[in-house]
């Protein structure tokens, strides 16, 4: 309680003048105080990104929008794009193996939160976090947003945007860091004009590369990862440009950490043996590997002053390999750890698609109007090749040999395909912004999707497992919102939005649905020294599959879940030298209709319970101070409330508060040296609660020294 009280007090001091819903992103914090003062408080006028295809700013969009831009990523020292997402209000993201990138937001988790890359909705769990160096920004839209992203997005959407070539003649930057547990980062980026300024056709190229290594804070967990992004921007005519973008990611992790078992008896607040908190119960040759290749071709064409089009043609190829012993539980007297679930699987995915958008400024009924419409076509194909054996063994947690995967009876090398899922999506969408008056605008949009699922069975054909299985859906989603700019520096908005979800697996159900009502405000205050937003919402998710109370062998599409909450954030320059930033979110999430089978095989209603891994409060605070023209320091805090580890709500994982600090020295106009401490108090905490149950522990106290240069 003392941690949350301290954090609430700090947040109240920094942000009491305003309420907010999105993280307010100021221009980069620099040593030059006068430059800071001139750029403070303008972040609401940056692009809202994927929140609308109409090119609206954050301020103009009648929806919850938060953006962590490149300056925010560096100022908050996000190590990967998931760290950047965690700086946004209400987001609680983690990366337990087997879950890709796990996100809890607005009372929803997993597939109810869409994670996109460069505006492309990608299936197949590719959201495992990688180094933030190649990313330009992370965008967040709160609540149902299938209008923008297609099926999914009941709770919200995250979009990770890669750096692209710009029209700078020449720019270069690099970063080298070393930290606890032999964690290293070596990264560089360069943007360069390839043609003379007098040429009719102009070409600009950008290359970003990063290499990360580390031994991990858990025993025997070693990681090696590469990320690279190359893009070529070509101005073919004054009105026509083309961007070719190529990205490659390669990650290898030895003996991945799958969690820390909790002590018996398992009741109430779960506990671990802190003496063995760094034990790794995976086998010696456990492995996680991922390789991802992206190729995009982007055409931008201005037909005239009021009409523009953009077309994005893309190809994605990915492969992920797991080979691990994944489940660990203590025996009755906590003297031994029982290990099980030897799992080897290959996930192969390929997605090809095209997005076309046309925007047009005109007048409708004598009023200014902006239109955006287009179509999307994509084919996503994933093939799983799993091998799952019991793999039971027992070890002494104080002294044990981890063993090897292929020594486990029933395991074997190689992969045998199980099923291939192919999802083909055809979509049409249109948005409009109508200026009803100089201060009042109406935003509307609708999207139609034609979704077809084709499952191919590669194993033995049976009556219950045919060679092919087909399903199809045709949902319609939309959004309507009003924005009222009641004074030049402040507005208020109200919006209603909907979403749909494709049924899981091969269930022959209609899509489940989501709808949201939201009201909010976005404003500057105290002569532009601060910016803030506030939002209140209610989301209802309906008709998802739950176990039939009358027949435990069947599922029926009658599930319902609701959440309601408030999100606030503010960025405020307290003095010319002191910048305060913060956000806080409250959510009340409940199952209205949800059933599941317990360990005895009985079907139990969980009506009124809270979903697992959903904290009801999440808060962030940053204080940055310029001690001298070349010396800057700061502190930060993050609070995450306790979560339930089971749907019965009988097991909990405790809340936690993390503190950090940094000191940065500007050696010259190009180079900065930064020392940083994360988890200053060495808090022992769980980022995620496995249903085993087990903790997925977060990082202990770590130190980092980094040198970054720009030319």
């Amino acid at each position: 309680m003392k941690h949350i009280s301290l954090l609430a007090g700090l947040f109240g001091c920094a942000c009491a003048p305003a309420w907010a819903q999105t993280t307010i992103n100021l221009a980069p914090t620099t040593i030059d105080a006068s430059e800071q003062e001139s750029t403070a408080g303008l972040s609401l006028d940056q692009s809202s990104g994927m929140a609308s295809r109409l090119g609206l700013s954050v301020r103009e969009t009648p929806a919850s929008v938060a953006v962590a831009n490149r300056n925010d990523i560096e100022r908050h020292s996000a190590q990967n794009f998931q760290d950047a997402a965690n700086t946004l209000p209400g987001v609680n993201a983690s990366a337990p193996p087997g879950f890709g990138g796990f996100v809890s937001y607005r009372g929803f988790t997993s597939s109810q939160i869409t994670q996109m890359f460069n505006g492309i909705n990608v299936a197949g769990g590719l959201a495992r976090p990688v180094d933030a160096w190649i990313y330009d920004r992370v965008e967040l839209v709160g609540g149902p947003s299938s209008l923008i992203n297609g099926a999914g997005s009941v709770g919200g959407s995250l979009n990770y945007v890669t750096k692209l070539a710009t029209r700078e003649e020449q720019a270069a930057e690099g970063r080298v860091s070393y930290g606890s547990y032999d964690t290293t980062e070596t990264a560089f980026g360069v943007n360069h004009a390839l043609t003379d300024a007098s040429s009719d056709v102009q070409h600009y190229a950008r290359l970003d590369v990063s290499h990360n290594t580390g031994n991990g804070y858990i025993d025997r967990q070693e990681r090696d990862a590469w990320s690279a992004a190359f893009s070529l921007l070509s101005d073919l005519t004054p009105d026509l440009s083309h961007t070719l973008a190529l990205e490659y990611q390669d990650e290898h992790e030895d003996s991945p950490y799958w969690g820390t078992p909790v002590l018996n008896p398992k009741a109430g607040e779960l506990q671990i043996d802190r003496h063995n908190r760094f034990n790794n119960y995976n086998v010696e040759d456990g492995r996680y590997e991922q390789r991802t290749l992206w190729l995009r071709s982007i055409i931008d064409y201005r037909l005239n002053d009021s009409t523009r089009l953009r077309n994005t043609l893309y190809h994605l190829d990915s492969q992920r390999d797991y080979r691990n012993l994944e489940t660990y539980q203590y025996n009755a007297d906590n003297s031994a750890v029982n290990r099980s679930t030897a799992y080897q699987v290959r996930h192969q995915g390929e997605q090809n698609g095209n997005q076309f958008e046309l925007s047009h400024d005109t007048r409708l009924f004598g009023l200014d109007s902006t239109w955006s419409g287009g179509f999307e076509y994509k084919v996503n194909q994933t093939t799983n090749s799993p091998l799952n054996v019991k793999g039971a063994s027992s070890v002494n947690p104080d002294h044990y040999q981890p063993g090897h995967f292929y020594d486990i009876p029933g395991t074997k090398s190689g992969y045998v395909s199980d099923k291939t899922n192919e999802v083909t999506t055809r979509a049409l969408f249109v948005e409009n912004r109508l200026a009803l008056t100089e201060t009042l605008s109406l935003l509307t949009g609708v999207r139609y999707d034609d979704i077809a699922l084709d499952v191919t069975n590669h194993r033995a054909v049976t009556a219950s497992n045919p060679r092919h299985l087909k399903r199809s859906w045709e949902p319609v989603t939309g959004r309507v919102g009003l924005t009222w700019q009641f004074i030049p520096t402040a507005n208020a908005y109200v919006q209603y939005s909907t979403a749909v979800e494709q049924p899981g697996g091969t269930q022959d159900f209609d899509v489940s649905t989501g709808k949201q009502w939201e009201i909010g405000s976005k404003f500057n205050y105290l002569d532009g020294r601060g910016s803030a937003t506030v939002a209140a919402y209610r989301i209802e998710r309906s008709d998802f599959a739950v176990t039939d109370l009358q027949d435990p062998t069947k599922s029926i599409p009658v599930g319902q879940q609701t959440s309601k909450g408030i999100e606030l954030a503010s960025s405020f320059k307290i003095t010319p030298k002191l910048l305060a930033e913060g956000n806080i979110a409250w959510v009340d999430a409940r199952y209205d209709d949800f059933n599941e089978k317990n360990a005895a095989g009985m079907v139990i209603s969980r009506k009124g319970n809270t979903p697992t891994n959903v904290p009801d409060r999440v808060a962030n605070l940053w204080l940055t101070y310029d001690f001298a023209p070349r010396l800057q320091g700061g502190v930060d805090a993050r609070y995450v409330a306790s979560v339930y580890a089971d749907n019965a709500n009988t097991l909990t994982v405790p809340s936690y508060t993390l503190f950090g600090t940094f000191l940065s020295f500007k050696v010259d106009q190009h180079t900065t040296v930064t020392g940083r401490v994360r988890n200053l108090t060495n808090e022992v905490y769980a980022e995620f609660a496995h249903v085993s149950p087990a903790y997925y522990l977060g990082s202990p106290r770590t130190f980092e020294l980094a040198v970054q240069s720009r030319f």
Side-chain angles (χ1 to χ4, degrees):
M1 283 300 295
K2 64 179 181 180
H3 285 166
I4 183 58
S5 298
L6 174 60
L7 185 57
L10 289 172
F11 186 87
C13 292
C15 303
W19 295 70
Q21 158 270 326
T22 52
T23 296
I24 304 305
N25 304 303
L26 294 180
T29 302
T30 66
I31 300 302
D32 187 343
S34 62
E35 187 173 329
Q36 284 183 333
E37 188 171 350
S38 66
T39 57
L42 302 179
S43 60
L44 291 178
D45 296 317
Q46 69 178 315
S47 169
S48 64
M50 66 156 179
S52 172
R53 293 185 173 88
L54 296 170
L56 304 179
S57 68
V58 171
R59 188 192 305 274
E60 294 169 325
T61 306
S64 305
V65 182
V67 180
N69 59 36
R70 186 66 214 173
N71 298 318
D72 302 319
I73 290 172
E74 294 187 4
R75 188 169 65 254
H76 299 150
S77 192
Q79 295 177 299
N80 53 58
F81 62 63
Q82 201 170 71
D83 287 346
N86 275 334
T87 67
L88 303 175
V91 174
N92 189 36
S94 57
F99 290 85
F102 178 85
V103 177
S104 170
Y105 177 56
R106 289 200 168 185
F108 298 90
T109 62
S110 303
S111 62
Q112 293 109 53
I113 309 297
T114 296
Q115 298 188 71
M116 309 169 70
F117 292 85
N118 300 302
I120 298 170
N121 189 348
V122 180
L126 293 179
R128 180 175 169 86
V130 296
D131 179 35
W133 179 261
I134 69 170
Y135 288 93
D136 179 69
R137 64 189 185 275
V138 177
E139 303 165 346
L140 173 69
V141 177
S145 45
S146 290
L147 166 67
I148 305 298
N149 313 321
S153 312
V154 173
S157 300
L158 281 162
N159 185 33
Y160 310 111
V161 182
T162 312
K163 295 176 181 176
L164 288 175
T166 65
R167 293 176 175 86
E168 293 181 87
E169 288 190 6
Q170 185 170 344
E173 57 185 336
R175 174 182 165 91
V176 177
S177 70
Y178 180 82
S180 303
Y181 306 102
D182 293 326
T183 301
T184 69
E185 178 189 11
T186 306
F188 72 88
V190 60
N191 193 96
H192 192 69
L194 303 181
T195 51
D196 186 83
S198 61
S199 299
D200 292 336
V201 177
Q202 298 289 320
H203 298 288
Y204 307 88
R206 181 176 185 96
L207 175 65
D208 292 279
V209 177
S210 70
H211 181 220
N212 297 76
T213 65
N215 290 330
Y217 55 91
I218 299 296
D219 293 342
R220 298 184 291 105
Q221 184 184 24
E222 298 182 1
R223 181 177 182 269
D224 189 289
W226 286 89
S227 299
F230 171 78
S231 56
L232 176 66
L233 168 63
S234 300
D235 288 331
L236 305 176
T237 74
D239 297 318
L240 176 63
S241 68
H242 176 265
T243 302
L244 179 68
L246 177 67
E247 298 159 41
Y248 178 73
Q249 299 170 3
D250 186 285
E251 180 184 9
H252 297 260
E253 194 167 296
D254 294 329
S255 297
Y257 166 63
W258 282 81
T260 299
V262 299
L263 295 167
N264 290 310
K266 299 182 182 72
E269 186 173 283
L270 300 174
Q271 304 292 330
I272 63 169
D273 183 349
R274 297 194 176 202
H275 174 70
N276 293 319
R277 63 184 279 202
F278 299 123
N279 280 8
N280 186 349
Y281 297 107
N282 201 353
V283 289
E284 183 72 33
D285 55 346
R287 179 63 60 91
Y288 172 80
E289 297 178 350
Q290 173 174 294
R291 289 160 296 283
T292 303
L293 176 68
W294 276 90
L295 181 64
R296 290 180 290 148
S297 171
I298 307 165
I299 295 174
D300 288 285
Y301 182 53
R302 186 181 63 161
L303 280 72
N304 51 52
D305 290 342
S306 60
T307 307
R308 300 160 300 280
L309 66 82
R310 163 172 279 216
N311 191 85
T312 303
L313 179 69
Y314 63 89
H315 167 75
L316 164 67
D317 187 85
S318 67
Q319 179 175 296
R320 302 188 310 281
D321 293 336
Y322 295 86
R323 184 181 68 225
N324 302 286
L325 188 58
E326 300 178 0
T327 304
Y328 325 119
Q329 298 193 59
Y330 277 103
N331 63 355
D333 63 0
N334 299 318
S335 61
V337 173
N338 298 321
R339 307 187 301 173
S340 60
T341 315
Y343 193 54
Q344 175 178 271
V345 65
R346 168 167 290 177
H347 299 291
Q348 291 176 294
E350 180 177 319
Q351 182 164 313
N352 298 287
N354 191 83
Q355 292 180 341
F356 174 83
E357 303 170 27
L358 180 70
S359 61
H360 181 65
D361 298 327
T362 185
R363 291 184 67 80
L364 184 65
F365 308 120
L367 305 174
D368 289 337
S369 177
T370 300
W371 292 88
S372 176
F375 64 83
E376 180 177 7
Y377 176 81
K378 65 180 178 182
V379 179
N380 183 286
Q381 186 180 86
T382 57
T383 300
N384 290 344
S385 304
L387 171 68
N388 192 344
V389 300
K390 188 174 182 180
S393 63
S394 183
V395 297
N396 182 338
D398 295 317
H399 180 73
Y400 63 93
Q401 293 295 323
H404 294 83
F405 186 84
Y406 292 119
D407 291 338
I408 298 172
T411 59
K412 58 183 178 180
S413 60
Y415 300 93
V416 177
S417 297
D418 179 22
K419 293 180 180 179
T420 296
N421 287 9
E422 183 176 282
V423 180
T424 302
T425 302
R426 301 172 181 86
L428 297 172
F429 51 83
V430 63
E431 282 186 88
N432 175 259
R433 182 176 187 261
L434 184 64
L436 301 176
T437 70
E438 290 186 358
T439 60
L440 185 65
S441 62
L442 173 68
L443 182 72
T444 55
V446 65
R447 177 180 175 117
Y448 163 79
D449 283 272
D450 179 358
I451 306 170
L453 170 67
D454 188 347
V455 181
T456 301
N457 171 29
H458 300 293
R459 297 185 183 267
V461 176
T462 65
S464 60
N465 197 14
R467 178 65 65 193
H468 285 279
L469 185 147
K470 297 180 184 291
R471 300 278 187 265
S472 63
W473 304 270
E474 295 185 44
V476 176
T477 54
R479 175 175 66 187
V480 58
L482 274 172
T483 302
W484 178 36
Q485 193 77 30
F486 56 89
I487 59 174
T489 58
N491 70 20
Y493 70 88
V494 59
Q495 65 118 317
Y496 174 78
S497 59
T498 65
V500 296
E501 283 182 89
Q502 182 181 322
T506 59
Q507 294 169 328
D508 191 14
F509 298 147
D510 199 358
V511 293
S512 59
T513 61
K515 58 184 179 182
Q516 172 184 262
W517 281 99
E518 177 178 300
I519 59 172
S521 179
K522 307 174 186 183
F523 53 93
N524 298 338
Y525 58 92
L526 293 180
D527 298 322
R529 289 168 54 197
S531 301
T533 60
V534 57
Y537 62 86
R538 186 183 189 278
I539 304 174
E540 181 180 299
R541 177 187 177 219
S542 303
D543 302 326
F544 57 90
V546 298
T547 304
D548 189 346
L549 277 171
Q550 307 303 318
D551 185 350
T553 66
K554 294 182 179 180
S555 296
I556 52 177
V558 298
Q560 182 168 306
Q561 176 184 347
T562 57
S563 68
K564 53 187 177 182
I566 299 174
E567 295 170 356
L568 310 101
S570 183
S571 181
F572 177 53
K573 182 163 282 196
I574 299 174
T575 73
K577 293 185 177 182
L578 178 60
L579 173 67
E581 304 168 279
N583 54 64
I584 187 167
W586 293 269
V587 63
D588 179 13
R590 293 286 183 269
Y591 286 123
D592 302 308
D593 193 342
F594 182 73
N595 312 316
E596 68 171 357
K597 284 191 290 187
N598 63 12
M602 298 177 59
V603 181
I604 305 296
S605 171
R606 302 304 187 194
K607 181 177 180 179
N609 288 6
T610 298
T612 61
N613 284 294
V614 172
D616 62 4
R617 286 158 294 160
V618 177
N620 293 296
L621 175 68
W622 301 270
L623 296 173
T624 306
Y625 188 77
D626 293 335
F627 294 101
R630 299 169 64 182
L631 185 65
Q632 186 182 72
V635 295
D636 59 82
R638 174 173 174 81
Y639 172 79
V640 178
S642 63
V643 300
Y644 290 109
D646 64 334
N647 287 321
N649 288 182
T650 59
L651 306 176
T652 63
V653 172
S655 63
Y656 61 89
T657 305
L658 304 179
F659 297 96
T661 186
F662 80 93
L663 189 65
S664 181
F665 177 69
K666 195 171 181 65
V667 178
D668 54 36
Q669 62 177 333
H670 301 297
T671 303
T672 303
V673 178
T674 303
R676 187 174 297 271
V677 183
R678 294 181 172 86
N679 193 358
L680 191 62
T681 60
N682 202 27
E683 178 95 340
V684 179
Y685 66 101
E687 288 187 331
F688 179 85
H690 279 288
V691 294
S692 321
Y695 275 27
Y696 183 78
L697 288 173
S699 175
R701 180 170 50 235
T702 58
F703 303 86
E704 176 189 273
L705 183 66
V707 180
Q708 185 159 337
S709 293
R710 284 191 174 89
F711 297 91

